[in-house]
Amino acid sequence: MRKKWLHGMAAGIMLVGLLAGCGGNNNGENAAASSSPSPSPNASSSAPAESAAPAKDVHLRLYTFGPEATYNWSQTLKAYEEANPGVTVEALVLSDKGDTQEAMKKLDLAFASKEDIDILMFSDPAGYAQRVSLGMTEPLDDYIAKDGGYKVVDEYKVDTTLNGKVYALPGKFNPWYVLLNKDHLDEAGLAVPTDWTWDEYAEYAKQLTKGEGTSKRYGTYFHGPQGGGWMEFLKLGMLNQPTNSDFLKADGSSNLSDPNFKKTLELRVKMEKEDKSSVPYSDIISQKLAYRNQFFNQSASMLTIGSWMNTEIGGTDKLPLTFHVAVAPFPKNNKEDTIGYAPVTTDYTAVSSISKQKEEAYKFVRWYTTEGQLIQGKNVPSWSKVTNDQLNPIIDTILAGTMNPELVDKDSLIKTLLMSKASEMLPGASYQGEVYKAINEEYEKLILGQQDVDAMVKNSQDRTQQIIEANKK
């Protein structure tokens, strides 16, 4: 059993090194304003009620990747402690720069060393699912039953259910969207999209591309894949559907026969090789390009990225905003499809399976993912009880922390966030990182002209199946 545990933990640590869906970039370099909106009476009444008897000498330890600058822990935890006399919550920040990969490695080691961990935070669904499979999280279903028996799918915009059980509650709600240089759109006579397809996205990129050589302005920039990470950019046509949005299915079998996988590859090749409207992959890798620089320096007119960029969308001291920015929803495949499905990042906030204070830890997790999100005031909450009226001051607070919020089309941002929704979460397989790396390698052969799309699909399918078979032994 000990050998099996160590093998599983090693696999988990390896997986974190390979996954970069959020990476160290998700939290941004700049904090939003420290002031935050107060929860409305209506919102507060939907949160779990405080127990009549105050807890005595409870000290909870929260292990998190989120630094103070972007998570406002001092104000957030103080509010909880004031509402719950006798309880103190200590935030142990595992990466000062908010690097989720670094933080997860430290978390895995801390858990293996059986440190006093009460609350855990994960930043991506694969990392969350992997650690559930390693037994690091406590099932919350019994606590939820005692807490009124609410349904996660009703209470939150992200369903954290895995294999029929709930192991975490979601904090922030960061769907992917498209950032647009509105000045470039106006110049080309293009409207800000509110409902569009990937074909229309490609047409926009083509019309926005301008110039040649080193001064060329590209219509769009795709930041991945890279080294088995940022694999969202090879799943563009899979991520905007309610189910089967990953390379693997829920049972761990291959999903590469999904026609939207091939369509994504065809889109990437067309835009780079034929339209020449997206930044070349070879430049991204050889020059180690950064997506923030590409957009804010106006080297690319559109950027498909996660809404963790809300805290930077109005510009920062390092990358000031000198043009007008608008936001569009993640494109869909066909006109008749439902708009709004997109990759979503959240904070999977869980109770540690080795905590000696699980009841108190659950109580904090529930509060943090409801009222606590409003007090924290740094992100759009996953809590579905947040009203449209409450979203406005949250966005105002976030944008106030940027250099030029007046250049941001707030209306398009809010409309996009309100229509966004997460697809079904799939449990991550222990070999998922190996699959990502193999597909990334096959994509490099494709985009560098060493094989065509059909060959890439077949080779990716074959290698993925080999990995699956090898992990059955």
Side-chain angles (χ1 to χ4, degrees):
M1 177 62 76
R2 176 68 176 169
K3 183 177 179 181
K4 182 177 181 181
W5 162 258
L6 291 174
H7 176 75
M9 182 62 73
I13 294 173
M14 181 184 298
L15 176 69
V16 176
L18 292 172
L19 293 175
C22 298
N25 296 321
N26 285 14
N27 296 306
E29 296 90 359
N30 290 272
S34 59
S35 60
S36 60
S38 299
S40 73
N42 290 336
S44 299
S45 65
S46 299
E50 306 294 348
S51 58
K56 300 295 183 182
D57 300 324
V58 173
H59 182 75
L60 299 173
R61 304 179 87 226
L62 162 65
Y63 280 58
T64 176
F65 53 82
E68 171 66 24
T70 51
Y71 276 77
N72 200 14
W73 289 120
S74 55
Q75 179 175 312
T76 306
L77 301 184
K78 180 181 178 182
Y80 185 75
E81 292 167 353
E82 289 176 349
N84 295 271
V87 179
T88 57
V89 185
E90 177 187 5
L92 288 89
V93 178
L94 301 174
S95 173
D96 291 336
K97 57 181 181 292
D99 186 326
T100 56
Q101 294 184 42
E102 174 191 8
M104 291 303 99
K105 289 177 182 178
K106 290 181 179 179
L107 175 61
D108 289 340
L109 292 174
F111 192 89
S113 301
K114 298 196 181 303
E115 294 184 17
D116 291 331
I117 306 172
D118 297 297
I119 302 154
L120 314 169
M121 284 178 64
F122 313 119
S123 65
D124 67 281
Y128 162 54
Q130 178 70 13
R131 285 164 184 82
V132 167
S133 69
L134 291 173
M136 294 173 64
T137 58
E138 183 74 9
L140 301 182
D141 302 84
D142 289 344
Y143 300 99
I144 291 173
K146 294 177 184 177
D147 195 14
Y150 60 86
K151 294 182 179 180
V152 172
V153 291
D154 295 333
E155 286 286 302
Y156 301 94
K157 294 181 179 179
V158 179
D159 185 1
T160 54
T161 305
L162 282 176
N163 300 320
K165 291 188 176 182
V166 177
Y167 296 90
L169 297 178
K172 65 189 179 187
F173 179 69
N174 278 350
W176 280 48
Y177 53 26
V178 180
L179 294 180
L180 306 162
N181 185 316
K182 193 172 184 302
D183 293 351
H184 291 175
L185 262 64
D186 291 344
E187 176 189 287
L190 297 171
V192 175
T194 57
D195 188 339
W196 58 341
T197 65
W198 281 113
D199 288 340
E200 291 170 325
Y201 180 99
E203 184 58 32
Y204 263 59
K206 190 175 180 179
Q207 293 188 48
L208 291 167
T209 300
K210 186 176 181 180
E212 296 292 340
T214 56
S215 62
K216 180 175 180 177
R217 186 186 81 197
Y218 288 92
T220 194
Y221 175 82
F222 294 122
H223 192 57
Q226 295 189 41
W230 292 101
M231 297 301 286
E232 291 88 351
F233 294 100
L234 289 187
K235 296 184 285 185
L236 297 174
M238 304 172 74
L239 290 167
N240 56 7
Q241 49 194 18
T243 59
N244 293 328
S245 58
D246 209 337
F247 300 133
L248 298 175
K249 296 180 181 179
D251 60 3
S253 62
S254 174
N255 191 36
L256 296 183
S257 60
D258 187 326
N260 288 319
F261 173 55
K262 182 178 180 180
K263 287 182 179 178
T264 299
L265 303 176
E266 291 172 336
L267 176 76
R268 292 294 304 271
V269 171
K270 178 182 184 296
M271 294 183 69
E272 178 173 332
K273 302 299 184 181
E274 297 177 26
D275 299 344
K276 301 186 186 304
S277 61
S278 65
V279 178
Y281 182 81
S282 58
D283 289 355
I284 297 170
I285 300 302
S286 63
Q287 299 176 32
K288 297 181 179 179
L289 298 180
Y291 61 83
R292 289 174 173 85
N293 299 69
Q294 289 294 298
F295 184 71
F296 285 104
N297 293 342
Q298 303 194 67
S299 299
S301 301
M302 300 193 298
L303 175 66
T304 302
I305 203 67
S307 58
W308 57 79
M309 288 297 293
N310 288 344
T311 59
E312 305 170 61
I313 193 174
T316 66
D317 54 350
K318 294 181 180 179
L319 290 169
L321 179 62
T322 58
F323 53 92
H324 292 86
V325 171
V327 181
F330 197 77
K332 58 188 184 181
N333 295 317
N334 308 297
K335 285 187 177 296
E336 63 271 19
D337 293 346
T338 301
I339 192 70
Y341 284 107
V344 170
T345 59
T346 188
D347 299 325
Y348 297 90
T349 315
V351 174
S352 167
S353 61
I354 58 175
S355 171
K356 299 179 179 65
Q357 307 170 106
K358 294 185 177 69
E359 189 78 45
E360 293 85 354
Y362 164 76
K363 184 179 177 182
F364 173 81
V365 167
R366 175 66 168 146
W367 176 89
Y368 172 70
T369 58
T370 52
E371 284 187 42
Q373 289 296 293
L374 298 174
I375 291 171
Q376 195 170 56
K378 291 293 186 180
N379 295 287
V380 175
S382 289
W383 191 27
S384 60
K385 296 298 188 292
V386 175
T387 66
N388 293 359
D389 289 341
Q390 287 175 298
L391 187 57
N392 264 290
I394 291 172
I395 293 298
D396 285 339
T397 299
I398 293 171
L399 293 180
T402 65
M403 302 292 287
N404 294 102
E406 73 280 359
L407 294 178
V408 177
D409 182 349
K410 190 179 79 168
D411 184 58
S412 68
L413 171 60
I414 290 178
K415 285 180 178 178
T416 296
L417 293 173
L418 286 174
M419 74 170 62
S420 298
K421 43 189 164 287
S423 58
E424 177 188 27
M425 181 185 296
L426 299 176
S430 61
Y431 46 85
Q432 187 163 308
E434 297 176 66
V435 171
Y436 282 7
K437 188 171 185 293
I439 295 174
N440 193 154
E441 291 171 354
E442 293 302 323
Y443 176 74
E444 289 193 348
K445 295 176 187 176
L446 165 66
I447 207 66
L448 298 178
Q450 298 170 13
Q451 63 182 354
D452 61 19
V453 170
D454 288 333
M456 188 209 155
V457 171
K458 184 179 185 306
N459 290 336
S460 297
Q461 290 173 336
D462 291 345
R463 291 184 64 179
T464 295
Q465 193 58 41
Q466 290 172 6
I467 293 169
I468 293 171
E469 294 298 329
N471 280 273
K472 288 181 179 178
K473 299 177 181 177

